Amino acid sequence: MFFPRTRMRRLRVKEGLRDMLVETRLDVKDFIYPMFVVHGKNKREEISSIPGSYHLSLDHLVKEAKKIYELGIPAIILFGIPKNKDDVGSEAYDKDGIVQRSVSALKNSIPDLVVITDVCLCEFTSHGHCGVVANGEIKNDPTLDLLTKMAISHARAGADIVAPSDMMDGRVGAIREGLEREGFKNTSIMSYAAKFASAFYGPFRDAVDSTPAFGDSRSYQMQGPNAREAMREVALDIEEGADIVMIKPALSYLDIIFRVRERFDVPIAAYNVSGEFSMVKS
């Protein structure tokens, strides 16, 4: 059909028509708010590298989360900074760890808030890597056991969604199997499915003190611009039981988000990471 029979402007002449036919909507209910919790009391310290974000002690975390929920933001993703770090990130899966205690407090105070927990060892290890280290190598399979223990401990505390961000092979399947075995069949998994190595993570690493003590993360995080590899990663995570898949960093990999949307009918999370946020904020 051609002009004058077809007039594209017919559907633009009234505001009601334009609103009714919007193809893509971004709403406050689409947002997930990142929060950083630390040990102690009465702590609310701004993170210099992420303006407007704070290290919060548990008491302030709950107060802040209530304000966030009242604004209409339905979900938070929680990152914990432990009191002590060791080679195997022991506090990551301790039932009395900072994240586990925070999840329980949040669910007790704001039951309808969707609480998502980051499942990764980097914040909790003395070496800053996302897995078990032996002879300078990040070991994949031994790491899966610790990640599964971590996810189960979060689910037991009341987490609605666990979000493995480590990029170890097979971790989604291991966590899904562990959750099912322990009776947490309704706990969702949001996998960091295509997580690319990036300098944009710098402010986050500063916030949780997780800069690798040696080497870098390129043996487990993806290298840009490997779009076909990203599609394989996403497909594997979905096969292993991921309910939501995440692309990270979001602004740098909008093409990957588009490809994943075209191919897979699962919810997609786009992580606008600390470095991207800080640049926009500046």
Side-chain angles (χ1 to χ4, degrees):
M1 294 290 188
F2 299 98
F3 178 85
R5 179 168 298 198
T6 299
R7 290 178 181 265
M8 296 298 293
R9 291 183 59 196
R10 286 193 192 113
L11 298 179
R12 302 174 192 154
V13 294
K14 291 181 181 285
E15 185 176 358
L17 274 172
R18 294 193 297 271
D19 287 346
M20 185 173 67
L21 298 173
V22 168
E23 294 179 8
T24 304
R25 294 180 189 273
L26 181 64
D27 187 81
V28 68
K29 290 183 172 58
D30 296 318
F31 294 151
I32 298 170
Y33 194 96
M35 303 189 79
F36 300 87
V37 61
V38 296
H39 286 277
K41 290 184 179 180
N42 198 31
K43 289 185 178 179
R44 189 176 189 273
E45 301 164 350
E46 187 169 24
I47 302 167
S48 60
S49 55
I50 315 178
S53 295
Y54 296 84
H55 285 138
L56 302 167
S57 54
L58 188 49
D59 49 344
H60 279 284
L61 177 79
V62 173
K63 290 178 186 176
E64 196 86 0
K66 285 180 179 177
K67 294 178 185 177
I68 291 163
Y69 187 69
E70 288 167 1
L71 288 171
I73 298 172
I76 62 113
I77 184 165
L78 194 59
F79 301 94
I81 295 88
K83 188 176 293 184
N84 298 300
K85 303 190 179 202
D86 59 32
D87 286 349
V88 291
S90 300
E91 192 178 321
Y93 37 88
D94 186 334
K95 63 182 177 63
D96 295 318
I98 186 64
V99 171
Q100 290 79 353
R101 289 169 49 218
S102 299
V103 172
S104 296
L106 288 167
K107 296 305 289 185
N108 286 334
S109 299
I110 323 162
D112 293 330
L113 177 71
V114 176
V115 176
I116 306 168
T117 57
D118 180 68
V119 176
C120 193
L121 298 176
C122 64
E123 298 120 273
F124 299 90
T125 57
S126 52
H127 48 69
H129 279 290
C130 299
V132 175
V133 174
N135 299 319
E137 180 184 350
I138 293 85
K139 297 290 187 179
N140 193 94
D141 295 7
T143 301
L144 302 185
D145 293 335
L146 300 186
L147 294 171
T148 301
K149 285 174 64 177
M150 187 178 182
I152 290 170
S153 72
H154 291 176
R156 190 166 283 125
D160 300 290
I161 301 174
V162 293
S165 62
D166 54 284
M167 289 300 286
M168 296 295 127
D169 290 332
R171 89 270 203 220
V172 173
I175 290 170
R176 184 73 268 164
E177 183 180 337
L179 291 171
E180 295 288 327
R181 183 178 64 247
E182 296 296 322
F184 298 110
K185 62 181 183 297
N186 289 326
T187 303
S188 300
I189 296 176
M190 177 172 71
S191 74
Y192 289 55
K195 178 180 178 179
F196 291 84
S198 175
F200 284 143
Y201 304 150
F204 173 85
R205 287 174 177 156
D206 176 52
V208 299
D209 188 25
S210 66
T211 302
F214 66 90
D216 52 44
S217 57
R218 288 182 293 178
S219 71
Y220 44 98
Q221 293 177 7
M222 290 184 56
Q223 308 304 295
N226 289 4
R228 290 190 296 273
E229 183 184 1
M231 299 301 282
R232 290 186 66 194
E233 288 280 11
V234 171
L236 285 167
D237 281 7
I238 293 171
E239 287 175 13
E240 290 179 22
D243 302 287
I244 305 167
V245 295
M246 182 193 291
I247 314 303
K248 177 184 179 184
L251 299 183
S252 306
Y253 293 97
L254 294 173
D255 59 323
I256 304 299
I257 294 172
F258 177 77
R259 287 182 184 224
V260 173
R261 169 48 63 236
E262 289 289 286
R263 179 168 165 185
F264 301 105
D265 290 324
V266 298
I268 299 171
Y271 202 143
N272 182 205
V273 302
S274 59
E276 294 175 313
F277 167 82
S278 295
M279 288 198 303
V280 171
K281 188 79 170 175
S282 295

PDB file of all heavy atoms in Angstrom, residues 126-152:
ATOM      1  N   SER A 126      39.882 -13.305  49.234  1.00  0.00           N
ATOM      2  CA  SER A 126      41.040 -12.443  49.450  1.00  0.00           C
ATOM      3  C   SER A 126      41.769 -12.139  48.140  1.00  0.00           C
ATOM      4  O   SER A 126      42.470 -11.133  48.032  1.00  0.00           O
ATOM      5  CB  SER A 126      41.998 -13.103  50.444  1.00  0.00           C
ATOM      6  OG  SER A 126      42.317 -14.428  50.042  1.00  0.00           O
ATOM      7  N   HIS A 127      41.597 -13.000  47.131  1.00  0.00           N
ATOM      8  CA  HIS A 127      42.272 -12.788  45.847  1.00  0.00           C
ATOM      9  C   HIS A 127      41.426 -12.031  44.845  1.00  0.00           C
ATOM     10  O   HIS A 127      41.913 -11.611  43.799  1.00  0.00           O
ATOM     11  CB  HIS A 127      42.718 -14.128  45.252  1.00  0.00           C
ATOM     12  CG  HIS A 127      41.661 -15.184  45.250  1.00  0.00           C
ATOM     13  ND1 HIS A 127      40.547 -15.127  44.442  1.00  0.00           N
ATOM     14  CD2 HIS A 127      41.543 -16.326  45.986  1.00  0.00           C
ATOM     15  CE1 HIS A 127      39.796 -16.194  44.656  1.00  0.00           C
ATOM     16  NE2 HIS A 127      40.368 -16.934  45.596  1.00  0.00           N
ATOM     17  N   GLY A 128      40.123 -11.851  45.120  1.00  0.00           N
ATOM     18  CA  GLY A 128      39.269 -11.047  44.257  1.00  0.00           C
ATOM     19  C   GLY A 128      38.763 -11.727  43.010  1.00  0.00           C
ATOM     20  O   GLY A 128      38.093 -11.095  42.181  1.00  0.00           O
ATOM     21  N   HIS A 129      39.043 -13.023  42.840  1.00  0.00           N
ATOM     22  CA  HIS A 129      38.544 -13.740  41.669  1.00  0.00           C
ATOM     23  C   HIS A 129      37.202 -14.410  41.973  1.00  0.00           C
ATOM     24  O   HIS A 129      36.837 -14.601  43.141  1.00  0.00           O
ATOM     25  CB  HIS A 129      39.566 -14.763  41.184  1.00  0.00           C
ATOM     26  CG  HIS A 129      40.649 -14.157  40.348  1.00  0.00           C
ATOM     27  ND1 HIS A 129      40.426 -13.670  39.085  1.00  0.00           N
ATOM     28  CD2 HIS A 129      41.971 -13.939  40.607  1.00  0.00           C
ATOM     29  CE1 HIS A 129      41.549 -13.196  38.585  1.00  0.00           C
ATOM     30  NE2 HIS A 129      42.506 -13.340  39.497  1.00  0.00           N
ATOM     31  N   CYS A 130      36.506 -14.788  40.914  1.00  0.00           N
ATOM     32  CA  CYS A 130      35.144 -15.316  41.045  1.00  0.00           C
ATOM     33  C   CYS A 130      35.106 -16.817  41.285  1.00  0.00           C
ATOM     34  O   CYS A 130      34.031 -17.427  41.237  1.00  0.00           O
ATOM     35  CB  CYS A 130      34.339 -14.990  39.788  1.00  0.00           C
ATOM     36  SG  CYS A 130      34.174 -13.215  39.505  1.00  0.00           S
ATOM     37  N   GLY A 131      36.257 -17.434  41.511  1.00  0.00           N
ATOM     38  CA  GLY A 131      36.297 -18.875  41.707  1.00  0.00           C
ATOM     39  C   GLY A 131      37.424 -19.303  42.610  1.00  0.00           C
ATOM     40  O   GLY A 131      38.235 -18.481  43.057  1.00  0.00           O
ATOM     41  N   VAL A 132      37.472 -20.596  42.853  1.00  0.00           N
ATOM     42  CA  VAL A 132      38.541 -21.190  43.658  1.00  0.00           C
ATOM     43  C   VAL A 132      39.852 -21.108  42.881  1.00  0.00           C
ATOM     44  O   VAL A 132      39.884 -21.410  41.681  1.00  0.00           O
ATOM     45  CB  VAL A 132      38.201 -22.658  43.984  1.00  0.00           C
ATOM     46  CG1 VAL A 132      39.354 -23.334  44.709  1.00  0.00           C
ATOM     47  CG2 VAL A 132      36.916 -22.740  44.816  1.00  0.00           C
ATOM     48  N   VAL A 133      40.908 -20.698  43.549  1.00  0.00           N
ATOM     49  CA  VAL A 133      42.213 -20.547  42.899  1.00  0.00           C
ATOM     50  C   VAL A 133      43.170 -21.624  43.400  1.00  0.00           C
ATOM     51  O   VAL A 133      43.287 -21.864  44.606  1.00  0.00           O
ATOM     52  CB  VAL A 133      42.810 -19.158  43.169  1.00  0.00           C
ATOM     53  CG1 VAL A 133      44.228 -19.061  42.608  1.00  0.00           C
ATOM     54  CG2 VAL A 133      41.930 -18.077  42.558  1.00  0.00           C
ATOM     55  N   ALA A 134      43.837 -22.294  42.470  1.00  0.00           N
ATOM     56  CA  ALA A 134      44.873 -23.268  42.821  1.00  0.00           C
ATOM     57  C   ALA A 134      46.033 -23.111  41.844  1.00  0.00           C
ATOM     58  O   ALA A 134      45.837 -23.162  40.622  1.00  0.00           O
ATOM     59  CB  ALA A 134      44.314 -24.694  42.755  1.00  0.00           C
ATOM     60  N   ASN A 135      47.219 -22.882  42.384  1.00  0.00           N
ATOM     61  CA  ASN A 135      48.420 -22.694  41.561  1.00  0.00           C
ATOM     62  C   ASN A 135      48.229 -21.609  40.502  1.00  0.00           C
ATOM     63  O   ASN A 135      48.653 -21.746  39.345  1.00  0.00           O
ATOM     64  CB  ASN A 135      48.822 -24.016  40.894  1.00  0.00           C
ATOM     65  CG  ASN A 135      49.143 -25.091  41.910  1.00  0.00           C
ATOM     66  OD1 ASN A 135      49.781 -24.829  42.931  1.00  0.00           O
ATOM     67  ND2 ASN A 135      48.687 -26.316  41.640  1.00  0.00           N
ATOM     68  N   GLY A 136      47.563 -20.540  40.910  1.00  0.00           N
ATOM     69  CA  GLY A 136      47.375 -19.414  40.012  1.00  0.00           C
ATOM     70  C   GLY A 136      46.301 -19.606  38.961  1.00  0.00           C
ATOM     71  O   GLY A 136      46.125 -18.754  38.087  1.00  0.00           O
ATOM     72  N   GLU A 137      45.553 -20.710  39.025  1.00  0.00           N
ATOM     73  CA  GLU A 137      44.501 -20.997  38.037  1.00  0.00           C
ATOM     74  C   GLU A 137      43.135 -20.959  38.714  1.00  0.00           C
ATOM     75  O   GLU A 137      42.965 -21.471  39.826  1.00  0.00           O
ATOM     76  CB  GLU A 137      44.728 -22.378  37.415  1.00  0.00           C
ATOM     77  CG  GLU A 137      43.683 -22.760  36.381  1.00  0.00           C
ATOM     78  CD  GLU A 137      43.872 -24.175  35.852  1.00  0.00           C
ATOM     79  OE1 GLU A 137      44.926 -24.782  36.142  1.00  0.00           O
ATOM     80  OE2 GLU A 137      42.956 -24.674  35.171  1.00  0.00           O
ATOM     81  N   ILE A 138      42.147 -20.344  38.046  1.00  0.00           N
ATOM     82  CA  ILE A 138      40.782 -20.318  38.572  1.00  0.00           C
ATOM     83  C   ILE A 138      40.125 -21.632  38.184  1.00  0.00           C
ATOM     84  O   ILE A 138      39.928 -21.924  36.994  1.00  0.00           O
ATOM     85  CB  ILE A 138      39.979 -19.124  38.027  1.00  0.00           C
ATOM     86  CG1 ILE A 138      40.560 -17.800  38.568  1.00  0.00           C
ATOM     87  CG2 ILE A 138      38.522 -19.217  38.461  1.00  0.00           C
ATOM     88  CD1 ILE A 138      41.696 -17.238  37.821  1.00  0.00           C
ATOM     89  N   LYS A 139      39.809 -22.450  39.176  1.00  0.00           N
ATOM     90  CA  LYS A 139      39.280 -23.791  38.965  1.00  0.00           C
ATOM     91  C   LYS A 139      37.754 -23.759  38.813  1.00  0.00           C
ATOM     92  O   LYS A 139      37.051 -23.271  39.697  1.00  0.00           O
ATOM     93  CB  LYS A 139      39.662 -24.699  40.130  1.00  0.00           C
ATOM     94  CG  LYS A 139      41.162 -24.914  40.279  1.00  0.00           C
ATOM     95  CD  LYS A 139      41.704 -25.771  39.142  1.00  0.00           C
ATOM     96  CE  LYS A 139      43.163 -26.129  39.358  1.00  0.00           C
ATOM     97  NZ  LYS A 139      43.696 -26.978  38.271  1.00  0.00           N
ATOM     98  N   ASN A 140      37.278 -24.287  37.727  1.00  0.00           N
ATOM     99  CA  ASN A 140      35.851 -24.238  37.424  1.00  0.00           C
ATOM    100  C   ASN A 140      35.016 -25.144  38.336  1.00  0.00           C
ATOM    101  O   ASN A 140      34.137 -24.678  39.075  1.00  0.00           O
ATOM    102  CB  ASN A 140      35.626 -24.629  35.964  1.00  0.00           C
ATOM    103  CG  ASN A 140      34.218 -24.315  35.476  1.00  0.00           C
ATOM    104  OD1 ASN A 140      33.978 -23.252  34.909  1.00  0.00           O
ATOM    105  ND2 ASN A 140      33.260 -25.216  35.695  1.00  0.00           N
ATOM    106  N   ASP A 141      35.270 -26.452  38.290  1.00  0.00           N
ATOM    107  CA  ASP A 141      34.364 -27.407  38.926  1.00  0.00           C
ATOM    108  C   ASP A 141      34.318 -27.292  40.452  1.00  0.00           C
ATOM    109  O   ASP A 141      33.222 -27.359  41.036  1.00  0.00           O
ATOM    110  CB  ASP A 141      34.704 -28.828  38.493  1.00  0.00           C
ATOM    111  CG  ASP A 141      34.463 -29.030  36.985  1.00  0.00           C
ATOM    112  OD1 ASP A 141      34.168 -28.035  36.287  1.00  0.00           O
ATOM    113  OD2 ASP A 141      34.591 -30.167  36.511  1.00  0.00           O
ATOM    114  N   PRO A 142      35.451 -27.110  41.143  1.00  0.00           N
ATOM    115  CA  PRO A 142      35.351 -26.919  42.592  1.00  0.00           C
ATOM    116  C   PRO A 142      34.561 -25.663  42.973  1.00  0.00           C
ATOM    117  O   PRO A 142      33.950 -25.601  44.035  1.00  0.00           O
ATOM    118  CB  PRO A 142      36.816 -26.793  43.031  1.00  0.00           C
ATOM    119  CG  PRO A 142      37.605 -27.469  41.963  1.00  0.00           C
ATOM    120  CD  PRO A 142      36.859 -27.193  40.702  1.00  0.00           C
ATOM    121  N   THR A 143      34.575 -24.664  42.084  1.00  0.00           N
ATOM    122  CA  THR A 143      33.832 -23.434  42.356  1.00  0.00           C
ATOM    123  C   THR A 143      32.325 -23.680  42.353  1.00  0.00           C
ATOM    124  O   THR A 143      31.580 -23.045  43.106  1.00  0.00           O
ATOM    125  CB  THR A 143      34.184 -22.358  41.301  1.00  0.00           C
ATOM    126  OG1 THR A 143      35.591 -22.110  41.344  1.00  0.00           O
ATOM    127  CG2 THR A 143      33.451 -21.059  41.572  1.00  0.00           C
ATOM    128  N   LEU A 144      31.857 -24.623  41.524  1.00  0.00           N
ATOM    129  CA  LEU A 144      30.415 -24.875  41.415  1.00  0.00           C
ATOM    130  C   LEU A 144      29.812 -25.282  42.752  1.00  0.00           C
ATOM    131  O   LEU A 144      28.691 -24.881  43.089  1.00  0.00           O
ATOM    132  CB  LEU A 144      30.139 -25.955  40.360  1.00  0.00           C
ATOM    133  CG  LEU A 144      30.639 -25.679  38.940  1.00  0.00           C
ATOM    134  CD1 LEU A 144      30.177 -26.777  37.991  1.00  0.00           C
ATOM    135  CD2 LEU A 144      30.183 -24.315  38.446  1.00  0.00           C
ATOM    136  N   ASP A 145      30.541 -26.078  43.516  1.00  0.00           N
ATOM    137  CA  ASP A 145      30.027 -26.512  44.820  1.00  0.00           C
ATOM    138  C   ASP A 145      29.815 -25.319  45.748  1.00  0.00           C
ATOM    139  O   ASP A 145      28.806 -25.249  46.467  1.00  0.00           O
ATOM    140  CB  ASP A 145      31.004 -27.503  45.473  1.00  0.00           C
ATOM    141  CG  ASP A 145      31.094 -28.820  44.712  1.00  0.00           C
ATOM    142  OD1 ASP A 145      30.122 -29.159  44.006  1.00  0.00           O
ATOM    143  OD2 ASP A 145      32.134 -29.497  44.823  1.00  0.00           O
ATOM    144  N   LEU A 146      30.750 -24.376  45.736  1.00  0.00           N
ATOM    145  CA  LEU A 146      30.636 -23.210  46.618  1.00  0.00           C
ATOM    146  C   LEU A 146      29.523 -22.274  46.157  1.00  0.00           C
ATOM    147  O   LEU A 146      28.779 -21.723  46.976  1.00  0.00           O
ATOM    148  CB  LEU A 146      31.972 -22.466  46.671  1.00  0.00           C
ATOM    149  CG  LEU A 146      33.169 -23.261  47.183  1.00  0.00           C
ATOM    150  CD1 LEU A 146      34.389 -22.353  47.322  1.00  0.00           C
ATOM    151  CD2 LEU A 146      32.867 -23.937  48.514  1.00  0.00           C
ATOM    152  N   LEU A 147      29.396 -22.098  44.850  1.00  0.00           N
ATOM    153  CA  LEU A 147      28.327 -21.255  44.326  1.00  0.00           C
ATOM    154  C   LEU A 147      26.951 -21.842  44.654  1.00  0.00           C
ATOM    155  O   LEU A 147      26.008 -21.108  44.983  1.00  0.00           O
ATOM    156  CB  LEU A 147      28.472 -21.089  42.811  1.00  0.00           C
ATOM    157  CG  LEU A 147      29.707 -20.331  42.337  1.00  0.00           C
ATOM    158  CD1 LEU A 147      29.831 -20.424  40.819  1.00  0.00           C
ATOM    159  CD2 LEU A 147      29.659 -18.863  42.772  1.00  0.00           C
ATOM    160  N   THR A 148      26.842 -23.154  44.569  1.00  0.00           N
ATOM    161  CA  THR A 148      25.573 -23.820  44.902  1.00  0.00           C
ATOM    162  C   THR A 148      25.247 -23.637  46.372  1.00  0.00           C
ATOM    163  O   THR A 148      24.102 -23.327  46.738  1.00  0.00           O
ATOM    164  CB  THR A 148      25.652 -25.311  44.538  1.00  0.00           C
ATOM    165  OG1 THR A 148      25.931 -25.440  43.135  1.00  0.00           O
ATOM    166  CG2 THR A 148      24.338 -26.010  44.843  1.00  0.00           C
ATOM    167  N   LYS A 149      26.244 -23.812  47.244  1.00  0.00           N
ATOM    168  CA  LYS A 149      26.033 -23.584  48.683  1.00  0.00           C
ATOM    169  C   LYS A 149      25.592 -22.139  48.936  1.00  0.00           C
ATOM    170  O   LYS A 149      24.700 -21.879  49.758  1.00  0.00           O
ATOM    171  CB  LYS A 149      27.327 -23.870  49.453  1.00  0.00           C
ATOM    172  CG  LYS A 149      27.658 -25.335  49.627  1.00  0.00           C
ATOM    173  CD  LYS A 149      29.029 -25.528  50.270  1.00  0.00           C
ATOM    174  CE  LYS A 149      29.071 -24.981  51.687  1.00  0.00           C
ATOM    175  NZ  LYS A 149      30.387 -25.249  52.334  1.00  0.00           N
ATOM    176  N   MET A 150      26.204 -21.210  48.236  1.00  0.00           N
ATOM    177  CA  MET A 150      25.877 -19.799  48.387  1.00  0.00           C
ATOM    178  C   MET A 150      24.430 -19.529  47.971  1.00  0.00           C
ATOM    179  O   MET A 150      23.662 -18.875  48.697  1.00  0.00           O
ATOM    180  CB  MET A 150      26.850 -18.976  47.537  1.00  0.00           C
ATOM    181  CG  MET A 150      26.752 -17.482  47.714  1.00  0.00           C
ATOM    182  SD  MET A 150      28.012 -16.672  46.672  1.00  0.00           S
ATOM    183  CE  MET A 150      27.749 -14.955  47.096  1.00  0.00           C
ATOM    184  N   ALA A 151      24.038 -20.042  46.804  1.00  0.00           N
ATOM    185  CA  ALA A 151      22.682 -19.827  46.310  1.00  0.00           C
ATOM    186  C   ALA A 151      21.642 -20.433  47.242  1.00  0.00           C
ATOM    187  O   ALA A 151      20.597 -19.820  47.519  1.00  0.00           O
ATOM    188  CB  ALA A 151      22.538 -20.415  44.904  1.00  0.00           C
ATOM    189  N   ILE A 152      21.906 -21.636  47.733  1.00  0.00           N
ATOM    190  CA  ILE A 152      20.968 -22.292  48.649  1.00  0.00           C
ATOM    191  C   ILE A 152      20.829 -21.492  49.939  1.00  0.00           C
ATOM    192  O   ILE A 152      19.726 -21.309  50.469  1.00  0.00           O
ATOM    193  CB  ILE A 152      21.419 -23.740  48.938  1.00  0.00           C
ATOM    194  CG1 ILE A 152      21.249 -24.609  47.682  1.00  0.00           C
ATOM    195  CG2 ILE A 152      20.628 -24.339  50.104  1.00  0.00           C
ATOM    196  CD1 ILE A 152      21.882 -25.980  47.791  1.00  0.00           C
TER     197      ILE A 152
END
